[in-house]
């Protein structure tokens, strides 16, 4: 267990080197499996990426593939193994087996994929008999997860598929654009319209080396800490660039409203707090759902009201993030309201207390509360290793900046 409190922040702390984007790294791993596309030397330290790397070794060895709690790996490998000849079994944690997969399964089975749901239809674990498939077009329900679309887009060249139709409202659209951009860099012409993806024949197999960017989802918690600091503060992070492929780079624009300036340098960026008159934040998070915990918790600690739209699919993440946020904010005196696709947080006068963070085995539900320490809150964290899913160095970085992170005896 860790105990976390404000300590004595260091104004001259060296720049942070954040983990690399698991969204980019995991896509590159799947493209390498399917088409032998080149991989960068450094894919990053995120546990989800390490899990997928181990899973790909299991694909080659036993065919029994355990992706633990890595949802991206489950979605991407389900599609990839369906078109790769062989016998496979794909499984994960109990929570992973509760996360719905039906839209992807229906799309793959319509093409002739041989996938058997071992316990419950539409959910892992799966038995897969991979085989060569062909289809000129694919249709898929797009309202639940963009990862279904990305999974199909990456296998489309193997299917000789030239069009993917996305039925219904499309969530997290920038993640689909990220997949398309990576594939375009590797030679596939891809055109994106409102509801379709058009895939051309590969123009070149000599793909350039692609560097995996640092993770914008992870830097959101430093934006939150800077926004909450009542004292002048500056946090530097290496290797971030103004033009990013990642959806969560939008946090620069959102946190500007909450009092954070982003200054780009030759090394990366600096986050600096500034006065702000914002008393209400409204944002449609359909394209950036991973920012919701950081945003709503930052607004809560600031005492301002917030309305975040486009959040319904957060119920299907590592935890049911909507219910978890409502419960955990409620324990600390905030009245978060859920209304289908909307979160509403009334303004309040938060009173700092000492409390235990219940993580629900969800990395983002730990890191979204920790920035409150600059407002006088202190926390016990019973399962600090949960953050390793995306940010293994998080606690070290807190200490590097001068905050108190104490290991308590169990």
């Amino acid at each position: 267990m860790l105990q976390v409190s404000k300590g004595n922040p260091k104004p001259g702390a060296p720049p942070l080197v954040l983990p690399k984007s698991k969204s980019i790294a995991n896509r590159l791993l799947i493209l390498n499996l399917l088409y032998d596309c080149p991989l960068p030397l450094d894919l990053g330290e995120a546990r989800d990426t390490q899990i997928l790397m181990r899973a790909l070794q299991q694909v080659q060895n036993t065919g029994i593939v355990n992706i633990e709690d890595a949802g991206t790996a489950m979605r991407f490998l389900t599609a990839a193994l369906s078109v790769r000849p062989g016998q496979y079994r794909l499984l994960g944690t109990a929570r992973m087996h509760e996360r719905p997969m039906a839209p992807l399964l229906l799309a793959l089975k319509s093409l002739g994929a041989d996938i058997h749901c071992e316990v419950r239809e539409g959910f892992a674990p799966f038995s897969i008999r991979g085989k060569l498939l062909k289809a000129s077009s694919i249709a898929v329900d797009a309202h639940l997860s963009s990862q279904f679309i990305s999974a199909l887009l990456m296998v489309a060249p193997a299917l000789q598929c030239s069009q993917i139709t996305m039925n219904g409202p499309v969530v997290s659209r920038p993640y689909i654009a990220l997949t398309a951009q990576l594939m375009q860099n590797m030679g596939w012409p891809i055109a994106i319209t409102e509801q379709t993806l058009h895939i051309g024949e590969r123009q070149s197999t000599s793909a350039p080396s692609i560097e995996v960017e640092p993770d914008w989802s992870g830097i959101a918690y430093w934006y939150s800490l800077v926004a909450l600091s009542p004292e002048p503060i500056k946090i530097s992070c290496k290797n971030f660039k103004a033009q990013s492929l990642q959806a969560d780079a939008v946090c620069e624009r959102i946190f500007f409203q909450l009092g954070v300036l982003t200054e780009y340098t030759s090394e990366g960026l600096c986050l600096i707090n500034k006065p702000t008159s914002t008393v209400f934040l409204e944002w449609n998070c359909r394209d950036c759902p991973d920012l919701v915990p950081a945003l709503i918790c930052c607004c809560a600690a600031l005492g301002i009201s917030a309305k975040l739209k486009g959040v319904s699919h957060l119920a299907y993440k590592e935890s049911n993030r909507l219910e978890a946020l409502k419960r955990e904010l409620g324990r600390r005196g905030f009245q978060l309201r859920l209304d289908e696709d909307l979160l509403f947080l009334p303004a309040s006068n938060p009173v700092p207390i000492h409390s235990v963070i219940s993580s629900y085995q969800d990395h983002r539900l730990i890191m979204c509360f920790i920035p409150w320490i600059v407002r006088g809150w202190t926390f016990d964290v019973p399962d600090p290793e949960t953050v390793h899913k995306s940010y293994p160095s998080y606690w070290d970085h807190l200490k590097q900046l001068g905050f108190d992170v104490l290991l308590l005896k169990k």
Side-chain angles (χ1 to χ4, degrees):
M1 177 183 291
L2 295 181
Q3 187 173 92
V4 187
S5 60
K6 182 178 179 181
N8 296 295
K10 301 175 182 176
L16 304 179
V17 181
L18 269 71
K20 293 182 179 294
S21 165
K22 61 189 180 72
S23 296
I24 295 176
N26 288 358
R27 283 162 171 78
L28 294 177
L29 284 166
I30 295 298
L31 292 169
N32 174 262
L33 171 71
L34 291 169
Y35 312 109
D36 199 29
C37 293
L39 288 173
L41 293 177
D42 186 2
L43 287 164
E45 60 184 291
R47 182 162 57 87
D48 267 17
T49 299
Q50 299 301 315
I51 287 172
L52 181 53
M53 292 171 70
R54 288 197 298 270
L56 294 175
Q57 293 176 346
Q58 294 166 354
V59 167
Q60 303 286 352
N61 297 331
T62 65
I64 300 174
V65 184
N66 186 351
I67 55 76
E68 302 178 36
D69 61 350
T72 304
M74 175 64 82
R75 277 76 176 262
F76 290 178
L77 277 177
T78 299
L81 297 182
S82 296
V83 302
R84 187 180 190 275
Q87 293 284 347
Y88 309 102
R89 185 165 185 260
L90 189 54
L91 67 154
T93 61
R95 172 60 183 170
M96 190 67 251
H97 294 171
E98 294 174 352
R99 298 176 70 175
M101 295 276 290
L104 178 60
L105 298 178
L106 288 172
L108 289 168
K109 289 183 177 182
S110 73
L111 309 175
D114 189 344
I115 306 172
H116 170 65
C117 300
E118 296 181 358
V119 177
R120 183 165 52 136
E121 197 61 37
F123 297 84
F126 306 129
S127 297
I128 301 175
R129 184 170 69 87
K131 55 187 178 181
L132 298 177
L133 299 172
K134 285 189 179 182
S136 59
S137 63
I138 309 171
V140 61
D141 185 344
H143 85 281
L144 201 58
S145 174
S146 67
Q147 290 178 2
F148 299 156
I149 318 300
S150 287
L152 293 169
L153 180 56
M154 286 189 286
V155 300
L159 297 166
Q160 298 179 25
C161 170
S162 60
Q163 179 173 308
I164 297 174
T165 301
M166 302 176 287
N167 295 324
V170 181
V171 299
S172 303
R173 190 180 289 272
Y175 286 92
I176 300 169
L178 169 63
T179 309
Q181 183 62 60
L182 292 173
M183 293 180 65
Q184 286 172 332
N185 291 346
M186 294 178 180
W188 285 281
I190 297 174
I192 305 177
T193 63
E194 188 67 22
Q195 299 295 140
T196 58
L197 299 167
H198 298 278
I199 306 100
E201 293 187 9
R202 194 175 187 184
Q203 302 298 305
S204 171
T205 57
S206 57
S209 176
I210 296 174
E211 181 180 354
V212 182
E213 300 176 0
D215 182 26
W216 275 94
S217 304
I219 202 176
Y221 308 103
W222 302 120
Y223 270 97
S224 179
L225 190 146
V226 170
L228 290 173
S229 178
E231 303 160 358
I233 189 171
K234 177 178 179 179
I235 295 178
S236 299
C237 301
K238 295 190 73 172
N239 302 322
F240 282 87
K241 298 177 181 178
Q243 300 300 321
S244 172
L245 298 175
Q246 297 173 64
D248 288 348
V250 73
C251 72
E252 175 186 343
R253 291 167 49 201
I254 305 174
F255 277 99
F256 180 80
Q257 299 183 42
L258 300 178
V260 184
L261 285 173
T262 304
E263 292 187 354
Y264 289 94
T265 69
S266 59
E267 285 195 326
L269 58 73
C270 295
L271 307 179
I272 306 165
N273 56 350
K274 67 177 181 68
T276 177
S277 58
T278 299
V279 295
F280 172 64
L281 178 71
E282 182 172 3
W283 201 269
N284 190 329
C285 296
R286 181 172 296 278
D287 288 343
C288 54
D290 285 343
L291 294 182
V292 168
L295 288 174
I296 205 70
C297 287
C298 184
C299 290
L302 286 169
I304 68 174
S305 59
K307 181 189 290 185
L308 302 184
K309 304 175 184 177
V311 301
S312 60
H313 53 302
L314 268 73
Y316 307 108
K317 295 288 187 175
E318 285 84 345
S319 66
N320 182 333
R321 286 183 183 160
L322 300 176
E323 291 295 338
L325 285 167
K326 180 179 180 181
R327 186 177 301 115
E328 294 307 308
L329 285 168
R331 287 177 51 211
R332 295 168 174 87
F334 303 92
Q335 302 302 313
L336 184 65
R337 298 205 293 265
L338 310 181
D339 182 14
E340 295 184 359
D341 207 28
L342 175 72
L343 284 180
F344 179 72
L345 178 76
S348 61
N349 293 303
V351 178
I353 60 172
H354 178 83
S355 65
V356 177
I357 292 181
S358 299
S359 74
Y360 303 83
Q361 290 300 301
D362 188 332
H363 53 138
R364 303 204 188 281
L365 291 179
I366 293 179
M367 292 186 287
C368 66
F369 285 104
I370 296 298
W372 292 15
I373 58 179
V374 295
R375 292 268 167 154
W377 297 73
T378 57
F379 297 103
D380 288 344
V381 186
D383 47 356
E385 68 284 349
T386 302
V387 305
H388 292 182
K389 182 177 179 67
S390 62
Y391 200 156
S393 52
Y394 181 67
W395 305 117
D396 290 335
H397 284 174
L398 269 176
K399 289 189 284 186
Q400 180 178 323
L401 293 171
F403 297 98
D404 281 346
V405 181
L406 303 176
L407 179 63
L408 302 179
K409 293 182 179 180
K410 294 186 177 180

